[in-house]
Amino acid sequence: RGSSRAAPRVAPQTQRGAPRSTPGPMCPSPSAGTAPVEAKDRAATVAATKLSLQDIRAAIPTECFSKETGRSLYYLARDLAVLATAPYAYTHLVAGSGNPLAYLAYWNLYGFFMWCLFVVGHDCGHTSFSPHKALNDLCGHVAHAPLLVPFYPWAMSHRRHHMYHNHQKKDASHPWFTPRGWRKLPAFTRALLTCALAPFVAYPIYLFEGSFDGSHVNPFSKLYRGASRRARVECAVSAASVFAFAYALWEACGRSAATVALAYGGCYYVFSFWLFMVTYLQHHEEDTLVYDDADWSYLKGAFETVDRTYGYGIDHIHHNISDGHVVHHLFFTQVPHYHLTKATQAVAPLLQKAGVYKHVAHDNIIKDFWKTFFRCNFTGWKWANPKDE
């Protein structure tokens, strides 16, 4: 089911939980088999592991830490080349066809490759694209501006996610709501986050409106509290690159909102869906543990990451960001995406032996995502140390 580069298939440590009609503490796993692991048992296993970050690093071949600029540029060029065919495909094959299936195929193909391009820019944000900061920054903007993602602000908030993964308050990603925190949200927000539209619209709202981590286009939003003047200027630069692309798109589409929506908008929302789905599944599983200041550590948070094999060649095409995500969270500034598979093959047996590796192989990733999202949503996690809510 996986691609030839898929990580070793290790039986997942969590399985299907009891279905619920509302967001609750049990999330389903796409694989069937053993009984669910109790949160306290997994927390004890994670806490008892003697592995250190140095032990894990020692198991990874040295070449996996090599940042190969030429190779990175190849993948950037590959994804850009695919997307460069979109105007021709839309003009000559889709527009005026009157065939809804042609539009759906166009949106899904190019929306997926927009997501692939994002992953290359993601390496730029982590400085794993190249040893050269200026090149990372330039290529990051080249990759992210066409996706309406402000590169510098995104890199800032995303770094916080990696520095504090699975910390209930400090993690900057999909929010970890407590039952009390969930009830305090406006009814509209709760309705939006639990409906089928969320995976399509939540990310642009997150970037631009900024309710949770702050607006990524406003250098004076809460994302930039205490930030330096340089960081604020960088925010303005990245925001300008996004707005410049949006204006160029508007002009290229003949200043027609309908053309923008059909030629770009459909692809954009498919891209947003892929980004939401992949990042959600990387960190949500039946026995996902969340920590606070009393018991969080970098390794504990990293061990809650889930490797997932999508199959059908997807893993390779979207740069192994799902089936090598545990290694990515352990060494997010050091291992480029094209070394994730080899690094994962090296560390998976070590982590599995310690009882802290989570991997799931999928037959139908879209179906499994919707099951997990509707039954788990943003409250379907467990405290490592149970607390009264």
Side-chain angles (χ1 to χ4, degrees):
R1 290 175 291 180
S3 70
S4 60
R5 296 183 53 171
R9 290 188 182 173
V10 181
Q13 295 187 4
T14 60
Q15 308 299 336
R16 187 175 301 278
R20 297 173 63 95
S21 58
T22 57
M26 298 295 285
C27 303
S29 167
S31 305
T34 61
V37 177
E38 293 293 333
K40 62 180 180 180
D41 295 335
R42 175 161 175 80
T45 299
V46 172
T49 183
K50 302 299 184 181
L51 288 175
S52 68
L53 194 61
Q54 290 72 26
D55 294 330
I56 301 170
R57 182 188 173 96
I60 299 175
T62 304
E63 60 266 25
C64 292
F65 297 96
S66 174
K67 302 175 183 180
E68 303 171 34
T69 301
R71 196 169 177 182
S72 296
L73 287 170
Y74 161 75
Y75 285 109
L76 175 63
R78 187 200 75 174
D79 292 342
L80 285 172
V82 173
L83 292 171
T85 67
Y88 178 89
Y90 178 77
T91 302
H92 296 279
L93 303 176
V94 179
S97 68
N99 186 350
L101 294 179
Y103 281 94
L104 286 174
Y106 169 80
W107 293 336
N108 277 279
L109 174 64
Y110 289 104
F112 174 69
F113 273 96
M114 288 169 71
W115 156 243
C116 296
L117 179 62
F118 176 89
V119 178
V120 177
H122 168 266
D123 266 14
C124 296
H126 284 310
T127 71
S128 58
F129 182 90
S130 162
H132 311 290
K133 183 182 184 303
L135 186 63
N136 288 329
D137 292 350
L138 174 62
C139 292
H141 281 86
V142 169
H144 279 191
L147 310 176
L148 305 184
V149 176
F151 176 73
Y152 283 131
W154 164 82
M156 174 187 286
S157 65
H158 191 62
R159 180 176 175 82
R160 291 177 187 174
H161 161 59
H162 276 270
M163 293 299 297
Y164 298 104
H165 38 214
N166 284 66
H167 189 294
Q168 194 268 324
K169 291 184 178 179
K170 296 179 181 178
D171 191 352
S173 181
H174 295 281
W176 304 104
F177 289 116
T178 64
R180 182 180 301 165
W182 179 259
R183 291 191 297 268
K184 289 182 178 180
L185 291 175
F188 175 79
T189 302
R190 280 182 279 133
L192 178 63
L193 290 177
T194 53
C195 77
L197 282 177
F200 297 93
V201 303
Y203 191 62
I205 292 173
Y206 167 80
L207 287 178
F208 291 95
E209 190 272 335
S211 291
F212 298 119
D213 296 328
S215 171
H216 288 58
V217 295
N218 179 1
F220 300 99
S221 73
K222 63 182 178 181
L223 179 64
Y224 282 89
R225 286 175 183 167
S228 66
R229 178 178 298 179
R230 177 186 177 89
R232 295 180 192 275
V233 171
E234 289 178 340
C235 175
V237 169
S238 293
S241 72
V242 166
F243 294 134
F245 174 82
Y247 179 76
L249 176 68
W250 173 251
E251 291 291 336
C253 290
R255 300 190 176 188
S256 166
T259 303
V260 170
L262 293 173
Y264 180 85
C267 304
Y268 177 78
Y269 286 110
V270 170
F271 151 67
S272 296
F273 172 83
W274 272 96
L275 188 149
F276 185 102
M277 176 183 74
V278 173
T279 56
Y280 185 89
L281 289 176
Q282 286 165 345
H283 299 285
H284 291 77
E285 185 52 68
E286 178 183 347
D287 64 346
T288 293
L289 301 178
V290 176
Y291 299 85
D292 61 11
D293 284 335
D295 49 14
W296 180 88
S297 74
Y298 181 82
L299 271 184
K300 287 179 181 178
F303 289 154
E304 296 311 304
T305 308
V306 186
D307 276 352
R308 297 182 183 272
T309 301
Y310 287 16
Y312 309 104
I314 295 172
D315 303 290
H316 172 64
I317 296 171
H318 78 169
H319 308 297
N320 298 102
I321 198 60
S322 289
D323 60 347
H325 206 65
V326 174
V327 167
H328 175 62
H329 262 263
L330 288 166
F331 304 103
F332 63 95
T333 65
Q334 301 173 59
V335 180
H337 75 264
Y338 40 82
H339 292 317
L340 288 175
T341 295
K342 188 172 186 177
T344 298
Q345 290 170 343
V347 303
L350 180 68
L351 300 180
Q352 183 189 18
K353 184 177 180 180
V356 296
Y357 182 58
K358 296 198 284 187
H359 173 266
V360 180
H362 294 267
D363 286 319
N364 188 331
I365 187 63
I366 303 297
K367 177 182 177 182
D368 293 338
F369 163 69
W370 285 116
K371 285 182 178 179
T372 303
F373 176 71
F374 282 126
R375 294 180 185 172
C376 175
N377 205 250
F378 295 99
T379 59
W381 50 270
K382 304 178 181 73
W383 284 111
N385 290 318
K387 302 172 180 11
D388 294 330
E389 290 291 343

